[in-house]
Amino acid sequence: MAQKATAEVVADVRRDQMLAAAATLIAERGFSDTRIADVAARVGASPALVVYYFGTKDKLLTEALRYSEQAFYTTAEEMLASTPDVVKRLETLVAWTCLPEHEQETPGTWGLWFDLWAQAFRHPEVKKDRVELDQQWRAMIARVVRDAVDADEIETVDAEEFSVAFAALLDGLSIQTALEDPVVEPNRAYQVAMRFASSSLGFPWTNRGTNGG
Amino acid sequence: MAQKATAEVVADVRRDQMLAAAATLIAERGFSDTRIADVAARVGASPALVVYYFGTKDKLLTEALRYSEQAFYTTAEEMLASTPDVVKRLETLVAWTCLPEHEQETPGTWGLWFDLWAQAFRHPEVKKDRVELDQQWRAMIARVVRDAVDADEIETVDAEEFSVAFAALLDGLSIQTALEDPVVEPNRAYQVAMRFASSSLGFPWTNRGTNGG
DNA sequence: GCGTCTTGACTGACTGTTCAGTCTATGGCT
DNA sequence: AGCCATAGACTGAACAGTCAGTCAAGACGC
């Protein structure tokens, strides 16, 4: 019955377009202010078609949330793959989450996070997904640390323990930068995070300007 | 002309009731799933009356957000006032934010936070308010540290710098506990936070069971 | 011709907001 | 004291707009 016909390909492309559009819309307007009609308009289709593919508004938006966050982590993994040194890797991760300049690559991610949290808080399904997503994130951090230990770049430390604290710290700091708290400027957040990393993992670190501004 | 007539008192009480009801509802169902009619029902009034007091749904909900968060900080201040020792004070703060047992006192605060962030991200007015709220929170932390330094309980440290990092860490940790991440259990979050505090401020700390569970 | 896409037109429900008017009590006036 | 005018609290009913989801029918590829 199933040879991958062009039709199926078209369908997959459509789904992806819709998910991407939905994610962008959510980031812009917020979860509950994103309408089926908006998504349809963005992909140049009728609202009915969106319903045809996703059945219900909620399924569409929830899937879009997952889709976007997953994309975020995937991109992060790629960036890591092309960076060998621990310190540079951590700098990359921190810059990626705290410095708004890096927003372009996965636009509006922060807005999505807030909505993801709010949804997860009340909907068990979303909650479960979010836990997995966050586990990926911590695993990534822990892997960076373990690689560094294996390569004798830093002393032996509990990578898992560090990942929990560091991930939490990054979340907290990026909330402030995303919400443009004047006291926690992006650069300051960057330094706070790196200082924590350097003292926890025991490598020397001094701020060498992170951006030319 | 103005002796506080009973009418004015009634009005103030009503407003407060509505704000409290709205806050609870937001915590339960979420910001955008909270209807004027729900709030009205909770206080035993007609929807029209809610509009009479707040003009618009958005004003009501936004004010309710502020109202609730402010109440949270006020309660925290009170708890601090009756706790003299630095370490105990920090333990109180951490328990207050990370341990779900303490939820009862200001129910549903976490749900509210997520919605507050989501709103702040997109609405400048809310954003400004949130910054002020968070400033209060950091100031409270910094004050605890400064008091401790003045009382020679700990060595001299940069209280402001500590408050930024510690507040961020607490935010991040409490997201995990609020979202019931199995990897970051409440007790673990508690320990991570206290360990960070003890090493940053230079006081000894070992976990003496935080709850009898 | 058959199944998968795709749509326009429609609807049914929900809900914020308005409005005209009721009820209550307070305060001044005689 | 008694009476009336005024203001503020309050409501029921209706309005108007919005939107998710339905449906029957057309288009397109195989």
Side-chain angles (χ1 to χ4, degrees):
Chain A
M1 42 187 71
Q3 51 182 60
K4 262 264 152 88
T6 56
E8 278 187 55
V9 175
V10 169
D12 282 357
V13 170
R14 273 287 205 227
R15 271 187 70 89
D16 252 44
Q17 285 177 335
M18 288 177 185
L19 286 174
T24 308
L25 257 341
I26 295 174
E28 286 172 14
R29 315 185 186 181
F31 191 89
S32 58
D33 285 337
T34 300
R35 338 231 157 274
I36 289 186
D38 300 331
V39 177
R42 282 258 170 129
V43 300
S46 69
L49 191 63
V50 177
V51 176
Y52 172 79
Y53 275 110
F54 291 93
T56 181
K57 180 196 174 184
D58 224 63
K59 280 190 206 147
L60 164 66
L61 294 188
T62 303
E63 235 179 279
L65 243 29
R66 243 196 318 243
Y67 173 91
S68 174
E69 302 298 341
Q70 187 58 65
F72 177 86
Y73 293 130
T74 306
T75 310
E77 288 278 15
E78 284 166 15
M79 290 183 66
L80 239 45
S82 60
T83 314
D85 176 56
V86 215
V87 179
K88 286 225 177 77
R89 280 181 164 188
L90 290 174
E91 283 177 340
T92 303
L93 249 31
V94 176
W96 180 247
T97 53
C98 292
L99 264 30
E101 298 90 87
H102 295 261
E103 259 272 313
Q104 349 164 235
E105 290 147 84
T106 49
T109 310
W110 277 114
L112 280 176
W113 243 308
F114 295 137
D115 279 311
L116 177 66
W117 288 335
Q119 292 298 316
F121 186 68
R122 282 174 266 266
H123 304 291
E125 286 307 311
V126 183
K127 183 175 287 187
K128 230 191 308 176
D129 286 349
R130 194 214 67 96
V131 165
E132 277 171 35
L133 249 10
D134 225 65
Q135 189 47 43
Q136 276 186 48
W137 179 240
R138 281 188 300 257
M140 197 185 306
I141 293 172
R143 198 167 352 106
V144 168
V145 174
R146 281 198 205 94
D147 285 354
V149 171
D150 290 347
D152 278 323
E153 293 183 291
I154 58 175
E155 294 300 307
T156 305
V157 290
D158 186 335
E160 206 266 345
E161 193 69 21
F162 173 78
S163 75
V164 170
F166 196 57
L169 183 63
L170 282 184
D171 274 355
L173 287 171
S174 48
I175 289 168
Q176 305 303 329
T177 60
L179 263 23
E180 297 174 295
D181 193 315
V183 175
V184 190
E185 279 150 17
N187 251 307
R188 186 174 187 187
Y190 181 88
Q191 284 171 45
V192 168
M194 287 310 297
R195 222 170 284 152
F196 175 81
S198 77
S199 84
S200 297
L201 302 179
F203 61 82
W205 186 83
T206 49
N207 187 33
R208 325 152 303 187
T210 53
N211 54 3
Chain B
M1 44 187 69
Q3 50 183 143
K4 265 264 149 95
T6 57
E8 279 187 54
V9 175
V10 168
D12 281 357
V13 170
R14 272 289 206 227
R15 272 186 70 89
D16 252 45
Q17 284 178 336
M18 289 177 185
L19 286 174
T24 309
L25 257 340
I26 295 174
E28 286 172 15
R29 315 185 185 179
F31 192 90
S32 58
D33 285 336
T34 300
R35 337 230 157 276
I36 287 186
D38 300 331
V39 177
R42 283 258 170 130
V43 300
S46 68
L49 189 64
V50 177
V51 176
Y52 173 77
Y53 275 109
F54 292 92
T56 180
K57 180 196 175 187
D58 223 64
K59 280 188 205 149
L60 164 67
L61 294 188
T62 303
E63 235 178 279
L65 243 29
R66 243 196 318 242
Y67 173 91
S68 174
E69 302 299 342
Q70 186 60 65
F72 177 85
Y73 292 130
T74 305
T75 310
E77 287 277 16
E78 284 165 14
M79 292 181 65
L80 240 45
S82 61
T83 315
D85 177 56
V86 216
V87 179
K88 287 224 177 78
R89 279 182 164 186
L90 289 174
E91 284 176 342
T92 303
L93 250 31
V94 176
W96 180 248
T97 52
C98 292
L99 264 30
E101 299 88 90
H102 295 262
E103 260 272 312
Q104 349 165 235
E105 290 146 84
T106 50
T109 310
W110 278 114
L112 280 176
W113 242 307
F114 295 137
D115 279 311
L116 177 66
W117 289 335
Q119 292 298 316
F121 185 68
R122 283 172 265 265
H123 304 290
E125 285 306 311
V126 184
K127 183 175 286 186
K128 230 191 308 175
D129 285 350
R130 193 214 67 95
V131 165
E132 277 172 33
L133 249 10
D134 225 64
Q135 190 47 43
Q136 276 184 50
W137 179 241
R138 281 188 301 256
M140 197 185 306
I141 294 173
R143 199 168 349 110
V144 168
V145 173
R146 282 198 204 93
D147 285 354
V149 171
D150 290 346
D152 277 324
E153 293 183 291
I154 58 175
E155 295 300 305
T156 306
V157 291
D158 186 335
E160 205 266 345
E161 193 69 21
F162 173 79
S163 73
V164 170
F166 197 56
L169 183 63
L170 282 184
D171 274 355
L173 288 171
S174 48
I175 290 168
Q176 305 302 329
T177 60
L179 262 23
E180 297 173 294
D181 192 316
V183 175
V184 189
E185 279 150 17
N187 251 306
R188 186 174 188 188
Y190 181 89
Q191 284 170 46
V192 168
M194 286 311 297
R195 221 170 285 151
F196 174 80
S198 78
S199 84
S200 296
L201 302 179
F203 61 83
W205 186 83
T206 49
N207 187 33
R208 326 151 302 186
T210 52
N211 54 4

